[in-house]
């Protein structure tokens, strides 16, 4: 990794600690494949790998204020992901889904939801019939959150209640779903973009 990229990453980490939406997007885009492929090797299951990756970023964003910038962010993320997987294995026989307590829900790191992202712009500019076709190309769990957010216009908390998932998982899942949907739209329509979809 070049010095410039390292500085850029450090700046995004500092910005994420301050709650800047774009920096959460950057960290998710930059490290998603690392965490996902790490879990895919462990679980041998795409759905489980995605679910654990979402939980990993959710917990990392929740705890990002405690991250020490002397260490590797990727290593920190992978360790969080490893611990979540171990914990899920321990709990699997007792419960399929682990729930957070109300106290933990109150302490969830607040990812801003005010400024439309580049992905939001790409999605909202599409013809409705075309957009519905593009959404069908997403995996069902991503289709579900896009539908609840954009078509039923539910808040993060309402989506979390409907899906019975922690609110920060919903935030990360939506970031990922929007990224994938925007990438599909760009690829299908040949749109030009300055970003590098993963």
């Amino acid at each position: 990794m070049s010095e410039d990229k390292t500085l850029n990453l450090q700046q995004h980490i500092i910005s994420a600690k301050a709650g800047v939406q774009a920096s959460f997007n950057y960290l998710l885009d930059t490290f998603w494949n690392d965490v996902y492929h790490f879990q895919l090797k462990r679980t041998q299951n795409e759905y489980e790998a995605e679910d654990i990756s979402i939980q990993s970023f959710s917990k990392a964003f929740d705890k990002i204020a405690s991250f020490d910038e002397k260490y590797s962010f990727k290593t920190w993320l992978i360790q969080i992901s490893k611990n979540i997987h171990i914990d899920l294995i321990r709990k699997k026989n007792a419960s399929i889904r682990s729930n957070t307590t109300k106290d933990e829900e109150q302490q969830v790191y607040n990812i801003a939801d005010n400024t439309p992202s580049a992905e939001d712009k790409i999605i909202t500019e599409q013809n409705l019939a075309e957009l519905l076709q593009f959404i069908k190309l997403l995996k069902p769990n991503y289709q579900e959150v896009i539908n609840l957010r954009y078509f039923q216009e539910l808040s993060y908390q309402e989506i979390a209640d409907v899906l019975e998932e922690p609110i920060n998982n919903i935030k990360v899942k939506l970031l990922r779903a929007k990224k994938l949907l925007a990438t599909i739209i760009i690829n299908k329509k040949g749109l030009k973009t300055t970003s590098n979809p993963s």
Side-chain angles (χ1 to χ4, degrees), residues 153-167:
E153 299 184 345
L154 299 187
S155 68
Y156 282 146
Q157 186 60 63
E158 288 168 333
I159 297 171
D161 291 342
V162 169
L163 299 182
E164 298 181 346
E165 291 188 37
I167 191 170

Side-chain angles (χ1 to χ4, degrees), residues 21 45 60 78 81 119 143 157 187:
Q21 171 77 46
N45 180 293
I78 294 293
S81 185
E119 288 84 9
Q143 288 185 39
Q157 186 60 63
N187 290 340

Side-chain angles (χ1 to χ4, degrees), residues 11-149:
Q11 289 167 351
H12 277 294
I13 291 169
I14 291 166
S15 294
K17 287 183 175 184
V20 177
Q21 171 77 46
S23 291
F24 286 111
N25 290 346
Y26 175 87
L27 294 173
L28 184 65
D29 291 346
T30 301
F31 295 104
W32 174 269
N33 286 342
D34 294 315
V35 177
Y36 173 73
H37 289 299
F38 173 76
Q39 284 300 337
L40 190 59
K41 284 180 184 176
R42 289 170 73 90
T43 64
Q44 300 294 309
N45 180 293
E46 287 186 9
Y47 180 82
E48 273 191 64
E50 280 192 350
D51 192 49
I52 294 169
S53 297
I54 286 165
Q55 290 186 53
S56 301
F57 280 95
S58 170
K59 188 165 187 180
F61 291 167
D62 183 20
K63 305 293 184 187
I64 197 165
S66 68
F67 173 69
D68 187 337
E69 288 150 52
K70 291 185 294 187
Y71 301 104
S72 162
F73 191 78
K74 176 181 169 182
T75 302
W76 184 66
L77 263 176
I78 294 293
Q79 188 60 52
I80 288 173
S81 185
K82 187 187 294 184
N83 290 343
I84 287 172
H85 184 226
I86 290 168
D87 196 42
L88 285 174
I89 291 171
R90 286 175 182 158
K91 292 179 179 177
K92 209 161 192 176
N93 292 334
S95 173
I96 294 172
R97 194 189 300 274
S98 62
N99 295 314
T100 59
T101 66
K102 288 296 178 185
D103 285 343
E104 287 171 331
E105 293 248 346
Q106 292 299 319
Q107 294 168 11
V108 157
Y109 200 87
N110 183 30
I111 301 175
D113 188 33
N114 303 326
T115 311
S117 65
E119 288 84 9
D120 285 316
K121 190 170 185 291
I122 291 168
I123 292 165
T124 55
E125 286 178 351
Q126 301 311 304
N127 171 278
L128 181 58
E130 274 189 327
L131 182 59
L132 290 170
Q133 289 302 312
F134 293 142
I135 289 170
K136 286 180 182 177
L137 298 175
L138 293 171
K139 291 184 178 178
N141 59 323
Y142 292 133
Q143 288 185 39
E144 190 171 35
V145 290
I146 288 285
N147 175 53
L148 291 171
R149 182 66 170 164

